[in-house]
Amino acid sequence: MLEIESNRHGFKTKTIWFSDEPFDVSGYAGVVFRDCTKDMNIDGFSKQVFTTLIIDLTQDLDDIWRGMSRSSCRSTIKRAEKEGIVILINQEYEGFHKLNKEFRKAKGLPAYNLDIDYMKRYGTLVVSIHDGAILGGQFFIQDRKNMRWMLGASRRLEKTRNMQPLIGAANRLKIWTAIQYAKNNGIDKFDMGGYYTGKEADPQMEGINNFKRSFGGNIVTNYIYEKDYSRIYAFGKRGYNKCKEIKKCL
């Protein structure tokens, strides 16, 4: 279990990852439990269903490798290695931080840039390098038994034909390296960070699903629980979320 304190607009809050079930905490305006495994109804807590894909790391690495798609995953990883892609772990924080800003802006995504101290304290950063330049990076949050993909960015939007396949291969090599790293550090579950199950057709999200599914693993249901202890905080949060929805419609 991983507990992270934060300050949101002057309110002290806590996010708890990888707990099987939610529980009350004291001294906070609000608490969020992410990736809970138990489906429960508890007074005061809201609940959301979250679908994801998890790779069981209690298997041998050879079995995990064989469980990955041969054509779309294993061969691509081997190509990345032949092309001389270098993978670094817990290095190049500043470069990834800058790349993520550029990536999200280019794709028209909301700003989401974890600060460097957060990444160093709560997880593992994996970046790919080619000819001295960062091609992309992925940040994984973790505790002693769980590792979850939380943030990723790459130079995939660059309009260079030769670079696009190379970056795609590097992305797969980064995940395979992260899986090996997690396995070697005694972690049992590798979470791909979500799996789209919406009723509406979404080619982009379905493409991401295909990418994640190529690594094997099983689709599972987890739960997000949330509770507000401060009425003022709850009111402010509702207003903030409403503003976000209005902006989406503009």
Side-chain angles (χ1 to χ4, degrees), residues 93-115:
Y93 288 97
E94 291 81 4
F96 173 72
H97 194 265
K98 180 181 178 182
L99 174 62
N100 184 54
K101 281 185 177 180
E102 296 170 350
F103 175 79
R104 298 187 73 83
K105 182 178 180 180
K107 292 201 71 173
L109 296 172
Y112 183 54
N113 212 16
L114 302 172
D115 68 47

Side-chain angles (χ1 to χ4, degrees), residues 32 38 52 59 61 68 112 192 227 247:
V32 179
K38 293 184 179 179
T52 191
Q59 307 173 79
L61 271 176
M68 293 157 54
Y112 183 54
M192 295 296 285
K227 186 172 184 177
K247 286 181 180 180

Side-chain angles (χ1 to χ4, degrees), residues 180-199:
Q180 295 176 83
Y181 174 86
K183 171 71 175 176
N184 291 336
N185 281 276
I187 290 173
D188 292 338
K189 294 180 181 179
F190 189 90
D191 188 333
M192 295 296 285
Y195 189 88
Y196 180 70
T197 56
K199 294 180 181 179

